[in-house]
Amino acid sequence: MTYEYEPVATPSSGLRLHLNENTGGCSPMVLASLHAMTGPQISLYPDYEAAHGAVAARLGVPDEQLLLTNGLDEGILAVSLAAMRGASPHDPFESVVPVPAFDMYAACADTAGARVVLVPPEPDFSFPLERMIDTIWERTRLVWLTNPNNPTGQIIPRDAISRIADTASGAIVFVDEAYVDFGGESLIGSALLDRHPNIIVGRTFSKAYGLAGLRVGALVGSPAMLAPLRRILPPYRINACAAIALPIACLDTAYYHWYLDQVHESKALLYDCLDRLGAQYWKSAANFVFARFPGSGPRIVRDLAARQVYVRDRSSLPGCADCMRMTAGVVDETRTLAAALEEVACGAAS
Ligand SMILES: *Cc1c(COP(=O)(O)O)cnc(C)c1O
C-alpha cells in the first residue's frame, strides 16, 4: 500500500472553510512590509538572521533549538527522511500514525521508506494510548502525534505524550502543534521536552498568523535532534518575502490575538448551530470544528458546496463516517456557514 497526499480543490470564489486557513488574511503590517520590498531584496539570496531571531524569541527557544522550514510540510518530510536513514528494504523501519491524521505523515514516511502502521481511533476520538504503546517496538523509528489533533480538534494528555516518548526512546516522536495557538498547551518550554530529547515539536505560521501563502514552519528540538535535519534541508528554503514578513508577524500580536478571539467566538457559534441541528460534534481546541451528521454527512458537504460554502468531507477516514471538518475563522463568515448549514441540514429532515 502506498500513501499519497490527495490534492484538495481550492476554489477561487466562495467561502473556503475546508483547509483550516486563516480566513482573516494576514496582519496589515505584514502586508505593508511586503509592499515596501526593494529589488535587491528580491534578487539576492535572503539572510535569515532577523527572521530566525524573531521566531526564536516569539516561541521562547534558544536559537540553536530552532529550524525554520518551507512550511511545516517541509519539516515533516525532513523528519521522515532523517528517521528512516539506514533502513533496509527487506527489514524496514516503522512509522506509527494514530488516525485520523494529517495525510502528510503517512505520505512522507512512506516515501522515505517506512512501513506505515496506522492505529485506529477510539469511538470518541480520545487518544488511543494503550494501543499506541502496544504498537511501538524496536523497529519503530518515527511516531506522529498531533496536538491538538487535525481533524478532530482533540488534545493528547501530557502524560500520554511522555509515556510514548519513553516507550519509543529509540525513535523520533514528532509532536505537530500546528493548531496549538488556538488551544491546548505547547510542549515548548516545558520540563517534559527537556526530559525527552527524542521529541521534535512542529509549529507553523500558516494558521494563526495567516501566512500559508508564504510557507513558513518551525521545528523545535534539542541541537542533537536538529543536526541531521539541518543536513537534509536546503540552505535557502525560506523565500525572501517570508524572511521579511516573519519579524513583523511576530511583532503584530494585536492581529494575532484579534484572530484568536474571532476563532473562539466562531466555535461557540458553530456549537450552538450544531446543537440546534442535533448533530454530533467534538469541542475543538483548534480553529475548526469536527461534526457528524448521521446518514447525511457527504450529502450536506455537497449541498454546502452548491452554495459555494466549502467544508471538508472526512467521512472516508477511519472511524469518521458522516463526518466533516469546518474552519471556524472570522465570525461574519461563520454566520454565513451556520445559516447555510441550517438550510441544507433541515432540507434533509423534510
Ligand atoms: C496545516 C497543517 C500543517 C502544514 O502547515 P504548513 O506550514 O502550511 O506546511 C502541518 N500539520 C498539520 C496538522 C496541519 O494541519
Side-chain angles (χ1 to χ4, degrees):
M1 154 127 204
T2 56
Y3 298 88
E4 261 177 67
Y5 184 86
E6 249 178 72
V8 185
T10 49
S12 56
S13 63
L15 259 192
R16 264 170 72 146
L17 303 175
H18 65 319
L19 284 177
N20 306 340
E21 293 155 319
N22 185 315
T23 61
C26 67
S27 144
M29 285 167 63
V30 162
L31 212 51
S33 75
L34 295 175
H35 279 302
M37 282 180 77
T38 64
Q41 282 178 322
I42 304 283
S43 66
L44 300 177
Y45 285 108
D47 180 83
Y48 298 136
E49 204 180 318
H52 190 96
V55 174
R58 182 79 175 106
L59 296 179
V61 295
D63 275 351
E64 65 276 13
Q65 291 180 21
L66 171 71
L67 265 183
L68 295 180
T69 56
N70 191 260
L72 183 52
D73 284 351
E74 188 189 48
I76 289 169
L77 179 59
V79 165
S80 301
L81 293 171
M84 296 307 147
R85 273 182 70 144
S88 111
H90 307 295
D91 194 10
F93 292 151
E94 290 189 354
S95 176
V96 179
V97 188
V99 287
F102 189 46
D103 298 330
M104 285 291 288
Y105 308 144
C108 290
D110 179 48
T111 297
R115 183 192 293 140
V116 175
V117 183
L118 306 180
V119 175
E122 300 290 339
D124 65 353
F125 297 121
S126 59
F127 188 71
L129 177 61
E130 296 309 325
R131 284 184 291 109
M132 287 291 291
I133 299 284
D134 290 346
T135 306
I136 294 165
W137 64 309
E138 76 237 25
R139 302 299 296 170
T140 305
R141 289 300 154 90
L142 179 54
V143 181
W144 301 98
L145 303 179
T146 320
N147 198 31
N149 178 270
N150 171 14
T152 66
Q154 300 307 290
I155 285 179
I156 307 175
R158 277 248 167 139
D159 47 352
I161 299 177
S162 179
R163 264 191 73 197
I164 295 218
D166 274 333
T167 309
S169 57
I172 297 178
V173 176
F174 184 80
V175 181
D176 186 331
E177 295 187 348
Y179 299 98
V180 82
D181 301 87
F182 302 106
E185 217 185 328
S186 177
L187 287 184
I188 295 174
S190 70
L192 194 154
L193 191 55
D194 292 339
R195 255 198 333 272
H196 298 289
N198 57 329
I199 295 179
I200 295 176
V201 176
R203 298 285 292 261
T204 178
F205 283 81
S206 292
K207 312 284 160 56
Y209 292 85
L211 303 185
L214 292 182
R215 313 300 303 126
V216 193
L219 301 175
V220 173
S222 66
M225 283 307 273
L226 296 187
L229 300 170
R230 230 182 274 282
R231 286 199 295 277
I232 289 168
L233 290 163
Y236 291 111
R237 57 194 177 272
I238 310 293
N239 70 60
C241 302
I244 294 283
L246 271 175
I248 314 290
C250 290
L251 260 181
D252 193 357
T253 52
Y255 173 81
Y256 175 87
H257 288 293
W258 167 78
Y259 192 63
L260 263 46
D261 288 345
Q262 291 283 303
V263 169
H264 188 75
E265 199 178 328
S266 280
K267 285 194 288 189
L269 223 144
L270 277 177
Y271 298 152
D272 276 353
C273 168
L274 293 164
D275 277 334
R276 277 195 304 278
L277 296 174
Q280 187 183 9
Y281 63 90
W282 292 265
K283 287 261 166 83
S284 166
N287 66 336
F288 51 79
V289 174
F290 197 58
R292 171 180 282 145
F293 289 83
S296 55
R299 199 250 330 141
I300 287 178
V301 173
R302 280 195 306 275
D303 287 356
L304 286 173
R307 287 165 172 74
Q308 296 213 316
V309 175
Y310 304 102
V311 302
R312 188 89 186 267
D313 183 344
R314 299 275 66 186
S315 60
S316 63
L317 300 184
C320 300
D322 284 314
C323 288
M324 66 187 70
R325 189 193 66 199
M326 301 169 272
T327 305
V330 169
V331 173
D332 275 350
E333 296 189 352
T334 308
R335 286 190 213 288
T336 308
L337 165 64
L341 254 182
E342 302 221 4
E343 240 178 78
V344 302
C346 294
S350 60

